[in-house]
Amino acid sequence: MMWELYLLLLLGLGLRSQEALPPPCESQIYCHGELLHQVQMTKLYQDDKQFVDMSLTASPDEVLQSFRQLAMTHNNSIPREELQKFVQTYFQPVGQELQSWIPEDWKERPQFLQKISDAKLRDWAGQLHQIWKNLGKKMKPEIFKNPERSSLIYSEHPFIVPGGRFVEFYYWDSYWVMEGLLLSEMTSTVKGMLQNFLDLVKTYGHIPNGGRVYYLQRSQPPLLTLMMDLYVNYTKDISFLQENIETLASELDFWTMNRSLSVSSGGKSYILNRYYVPYGGPRPESYSKDEELANTVLEGDRETLWSELKAGAESGWDFSSRWLVGGTNPDLLSSIRTSKMIPVDLNAFLCQAEELMSNFYSRLGNDAEATKYRNLRSQRLAAMEAVLWDEQKGAWFDYDWEKEKKNLEFYPSNLTPLWTGCFSDPSVLDKALNYLEDNNILTYQYGIPTSLHNTGQQWDFPNAWAPLQDLVIRGLAKSASPRTQEVAFQLAQNWIRTNFKVYSQKSAMYEKYDITNGGQPGGGGEYEVQEGFGWTNGLALTLLDRYGDQLTSGTQLASLGPHCLLVALLISFLLQ
Ligand SMILES: *[C@@H]1O[C@H](CO)[C@@H](O)[C@H](O)[C@H]1NC(C)=O
Ligand SMILES: *[C@@H]1O[C@H](CO)[C@@H](O)[C@H](O)[C@H]1NC(C)=O
Ligand SMILES: *[C@@H]1O[C@H](CO)[C@@H](O)[C@H](O)[C@H]1NC(C)=O
C-alpha cells in the first residue's frame, strides 16, 4: 500500500510520535461490551445517547460484576424490568455531572450591539447574547476524582455547549460559538475553551468529536488553529500562542498521520486528507440504530459499515447524500462510503491551518517551521487545484478516489476554499457566483440548502445549517466585485430573516432550519431537532455585527407566498 509506506516515511522523518497513546475508547460500559449491547438493544430509552450519558453510582468493576451476575441468573436473557431495575441502581439520571455556569466575563451591553441599526434586530441580538448564560456548563469536581464513573471527558475550564441533547462541548461547533463569544467580549471564556481543546490534544493526540469518551475514536472538522487565530487576533495574546504552538502542530500531525492518503491525477501523485475512522462497532450513542442498519447488510460488511458511519460523524455531516454517492443504493444510509472521498472542506480547512501555522511561526521568529508550513500549504494548494478544482463548473468537488471521479453534486462545502482563502486566482470568487446561479441556489429565500437531494438525512435538502451559510457568505464577501458582495449580503439577510422570524414565533434558536417550510426548524436524521443553539447564535451575532448597518428585520414582499400577495392586493382594493 502506497500511502502506508508514505506514513512510515513520515514517521521516519521525526514527526511527534503518538505511539504512547492508548487505543481510543476502552470503556467496557460506555464504548463496548455486553452491558451496553443489552441496554441499548432493549431500548430502555428513546434516544440511545441517554444511557451513555448516565454516570455510575459504583466503580465500573462493581457494575460489570453485578451485571454478569444478573446475566447469569437469567441465562443471558434479562427481562426488560430487571434490566431497568439494574440501570436504576447503578446509574444516575443524565445531567448530574455538569452544573450550569454563568460566565464570569458576561456583561450586560457589549459594544457591538450599538452597530445594529434595526431596533428589532438590535433587541434580538441582545437576547441572543443573553442565551450564553443558559449554554454555559462546568464540570463537577467528582468527574476529576472518579473519571471512570462517567462518560464525560474531564475539562478544567467551563465551556459553552450547543444545547438540547448536546450538553457537552463539540469540536467544530465551538468555532462559531467562539466568534459569537468574542463579539460578546467574553475573552476568558474563549481562552478556557481553547485551553480545554489544547489539553485534549496533549492527552489524546487529537480533539475528539465531542466531550465524551465514546467520541474519542473520531475527530471533527479541524478548526483548532483557526480558533487560536481568532483569539490571538482579538486579544494579541502572543504568549498564549507561544506556549501552545507545539500543541497546534501535534493536532495537525494527527491529520497527517491518521487521515491522509495519496491520490493520483494526471499521472502525478498528491497527498490529501479524508475523514477515516479505522474502528468498527456501533457508535455507542446511536447503538441500536447502527445495529439495526447493520442487519440490512451482509455479515461480512458490518464492521466496514460501522467504520464508515463513524467517519461520516467525523465529517460533521452526519449524515448526508454526500457520503452515500456512488454506493450500491445512494438513497440508503447503508451505502455510506465516507472514507472513499477526498472532501473539499476538510482539505480547505487544513490548507488554512497550514497557512496560519506558517504565519504564527514567523511571528514567533521560527523561520524554519514557518517555511515548512508554507511549503505544506503550497503543496496542498497544488493538490486541490489538480484533484478537486473543476474549471468548467467553476468550483471544487469532493474526489471519489476509489471510483476516480469527482462528485459533481451541489453542496455549500464545495466553496469552502473561498472561506479559508485557499486559492491562488481571485477570479474564483466570481466564478463561485456563477456556480451558485447555475444550481439555482439564489432562488431559495430562507437559506442555502445543504444539498439538492432529499434523502431524509439531516445534512441534505431541505435543511439549512449555520456553518454552511457562513462558508458561502464570507467566501463571496471576499470578492472585489460589488455584485458578488451584494449577493453575499442578500444571503446574510435571508438567513437572519429566517432565524429572526422563527425566534419571534418560538422564542428559540435551532440547530438547523427547513428552507421549504418558511424556514421552520428542520427535521430528518437520527434525533429530533434541537434548540439552543451554539453555532446558530454565534453566526447570527457575527452577521449582525458585520452587516449591522444594512440588515432589516422586516419581511420583504418578495419572500411572501402568492397567497399572501393575493390577500394583500384584495385588502388594498377594498380599502380604496
Ligand atoms: C440457557 O440457554 C441455552 C441456550 O441459550 C439453553 O440451551 C439452556 O437450556 C438454557 N438453560 C436454562 C436453565 O434455561
Ligand atoms: C483581526 O481583528 C481585527 C480587529 O481587531 C479585524 O478587523 C480583522 O478582521 C481580524 N482579522 C481576522 C483574520 O479575523
Ligand atoms: C493514530 O495512529 C496512531 C498510529 O497508528 C495510533 O496509535 C493512534 O491510536 C491513532 N489515533 C486515533 C485517534 O485513532
Side-chain angles (χ1 to χ4, degrees), residues 120-415:
K120 283 185 185 155
L121 291 182
R122 195 181 329 118
D123 184 55
W124 175 52
Q127 294 179 46
L128 297 182
H129 169 66
Q130 294 276 346
I131 297 178
W132 298 133
K133 292 190 288 187
N134 307 337
L135 299 177
K137 297 279 178 213
K138 186 176 166 177
M139 297 205 176
K140 290 191 181 161
E142 290 93 288
I143 304 296
F144 182 63
K145 275 188 262 155
N146 292 310
E148 72 291 348
R149 292 194 180 192
S150 160
S151 63
L152 271 180
I153 299 172
Y154 180 75
S155 294
E156 190 181 338
H157 305 279
F159 45 87
I160 301 291
V161 303
R165 82 201 269 273
F166 304 111
V167 295
E168 50 286 308
F169 62 75
Y170 284 80
Y171 182 8
W172 77 314
D173 293 63
S174 298
Y175 172 73
W176 283 273
V177 167
M178 287 178 183
E179 282 217 298
L181 290 173
L182 289 181
L183 286 170
S184 291
E185 300 164 32
M186 293 162 67
T187 321
S188 56
T189 298
V190 172
K191 185 175 188 175
M193 290 173 71
L194 254 173
Q195 190 70 65
N196 288 342
F197 284 135
L198 292 161
D199 289 346
L200 289 165
V201 176
K202 285 184 207 153
T203 312
Y204 299 105
H206 71 288
I207 299 179
N209 181 140
R212 299 269 180 185
V213 293
Y214 55 73
Y215 287 138
L216 275 169
Q217 291 176 337
R218 58 189 202 244
S219 189
Q220 248 192 350
L223 295 173
L224 178 65
T225 313
L226 185 61
M227 291 174 192
M228 178 64 93
D229 183 56
L230 192 66
Y231 173 77
V232 171
N233 186 35
Y234 188 85
T235 59
K236 315 292 174 225
D237 187 352
I238 297 290
S239 60
F240 188 66
L241 174 65
Q242 174 103 52
E243 282 157 34
N244 293 295
I245 185 89
E246 286 282 313
T247 310
L248 296 179
S250 304
E251 202 235 353
L252 294 180
D253 288 350
F254 163 79
W255 289 92
T256 304
M257 303 220 313
N258 298 57
R259 301 290 189 263
S260 65
L261 187 71
S262 165
V263 286
S264 23
S265 173
K268 286 174 82 175
S269 347
Y270 300 93
I271 307 290
L272 284 164
N273 287 71
R274 59 170 168 165
Y275 295 110
Y276 174 59
V277 180
Y279 299 99
R283 289 167 301 152
E285 80 287 5
S286 301
Y287 197 101
S288 64
K289 290 207 167 66
D290 285 4
E291 256 311 319
E292 283 157 14
L293 190 66
N295 288 333
T296 68
V297 305
L298 295 175
E299 185 133 18
D301 295 337
R302 285 181 191 159
E303 295 297 336
T304 307
L305 169 61
W306 286 326
S307 148
E308 292 293 354
L309 287 169
K310 289 176 180 178
E314 180 167 87
S315 78
W317 288 49
D318 38 339
F319 291 105
S320 169
S321 58
R322 208 179 150 196
W323 310 130
L324 310 180
V325 73
T328 42
N329 182 347
D331 284 339
L332 293 183
L333 188 52
S334 54
S335 271
I336 190 162
R337 43 197 296 281
T338 320
S339 74
K340 310 297 186 209
M341 303 290 170
I342 305 284
V344 174
D345 44 2
L346 172 58
N347 286 283
F349 293 141
L350 290 170
C351 176
Q352 181 179 40
E354 285 155 356
E355 179 175 24
L356 294 172
M357 287 300 280
S358 173
N359 298 343
F360 289 163
Y361 273 120
S362 289
R363 281 164 85 172
L364 299 173
N366 186 337
D367 292 340
E369 288 296 309
T371 305
K372 176 185 133 182
Y373 281 101
R374 196 171 320 117
N375 290 340
L376 285 172
R377 177 184 188 262
S378 324
Q379 282 163 29
R380 190 182 299 275
L381 206 56
M384 289 174 65
E385 221 155 279
V387 182
L388 308 178
W389 172 253
D390 190 295
E391 179 62 33
Q392 205 199 334
K393 304 228 178 254
W396 296 261
F397 295 92
D398 296 346
Y399 181 72
D400 184 334
W401 58 267
E402 193 178 56
K403 300 196 190 297
E404 300 189 328
K405 62 179 189 191
K406 294 184 188 112
N407 172 10
L408 295 176
E409 297 295 331
F410 171 81
Y411 313 102
S413 54
N414 291 343
L415 297 178

Side-chain angles (χ1 to χ4, degrees), residues 11 29 89 104 121 129 166 292 312 326 509 553:
L11 280 169
I29 291 171
T89 310
E104 284 108 44
L121 291 182
H129 169 66
F166 304 111
E292 283 157 14
M509 296 291 284
S553 56

Side-chain angles (χ1 to χ4, degrees), residues 389-453:
W389 172 253
D390 190 295
E391 179 62 33
Q392 205 199 334
K393 304 228 178 254
W396 296 261
F397 295 92
D398 296 346
Y399 181 72
D400 184 334
W401 58 267
E402 193 178 56
K403 300 196 190 297
E404 300 189 328
K405 62 179 189 191
K406 294 184 188 112
N407 172 10
L408 295 176
E409 297 295 331
F410 171 81
Y411 313 102
S413 54
N414 291 343
L415 297 178
T416 313
L418 306 182
W419 189 80
T420 64
C422 204
F423 52 86
S424 40
D425 173 4
S427 74
V428 295
L429 290 159
D430 301 320
K431 288 180 184 162
L433 183 54
N434 296 337
Y435 172 67
L436 293 171
E437 282 170 341
D438 290 347
N439 286 281
N440 296 320
I441 299 308
L442 305 181
T443 62
Y444 297 100
Q445 297 276 328
Y446 297 99
I448 302 162
T450 309
S451 77
L452 298 177
H453 266 307

Side-chain angles (χ1 to χ4, degrees), residues 17-181:
S17 165
Q18 303 189 347
E19 274 160 320
L21 302 170
C25 199
E26 290 189 296
S27 165
Q28 286 301 309
I29 291 171
Y30 295 117
C31 299
H32 316 273
E34 199 48 33
L35 170 55
L36 178 67
H37 181 83
Q38 291 276 336
V39 172
Q40 299 292 42
M41 296 316 292
T42 307
K43 300 200 183 186
L44 290 187
Y45 306 97
Q46 209 178 18
D47 183 345
D48 287 347
K49 189 170 184 300
Q50 187 166 343
F51 173 62
V52 286
D53 288 357
M54 294 164 82
S55 48
L56 308 181
T57 58
S59 75
D61 282 349
E62 278 173 80
V63 175
L64 286 170
Q65 176 89 31
S66 169
F67 176 74
R68 264 178 238 120
Q69 281 286 326
L70 182 69
M72 222 146 67
T73 314
H74 295 282
N75 197 12
N76 282 326
S77 59
I78 310 166
R80 187 187 173 89
E81 311 73 61
E82 290 293 316
L83 197 57
Q84 183 96 63
K85 248 189 350 215
F86 173 84
V87 172
Q88 273 158 10
T89 310
Y90 288 101
F91 291 80
Q92 292 178 347
V94 286
Q96 306 282 307
E97 332 103 299
L98 286 164
Q99 54 200 58
S100 337
W101 169 70
I102 304 216
E104 284 108 44
D105 53 359
W106 191 91
K107 60 166 155 184
E108 206 59 56
R109 303 295 301 167
Q111 290 272 325
F112 85 98
L113 291 174
Q114 292 166 20
K115 289 169 61 184
I116 305 170
S117 321
D118 183 297
K120 283 185 185 155
L121 291 182
R122 195 181 329 118
D123 184 55
W124 175 52
Q127 294 179 46
L128 297 182
H129 169 66
Q130 294 276 346
I131 297 178
W132 298 133
K133 292 190 288 187
N134 307 337
L135 299 177
K137 297 279 178 213
K138 186 176 166 177
M139 297 205 176
K140 290 191 181 161
E142 290 93 288
I143 304 296
F144 182 63
K145 275 188 262 155
N146 292 310
E148 72 291 348
R149 292 194 180 192
S150 160
S151 63
L152 271 180
I153 299 172
Y154 180 75
S155 294
E156 190 181 338
H157 305 279
F159 45 87
I160 301 291
V161 303
R165 82 201 269 273
F166 304 111
V167 295
E168 50 286 308
F169 62 75
Y170 284 80
Y171 182 8
W172 77 314
D173 293 63
S174 298
Y175 172 73
W176 283 273
V177 167
M178 287 178 183
E179 282 217 298
L181 290 173

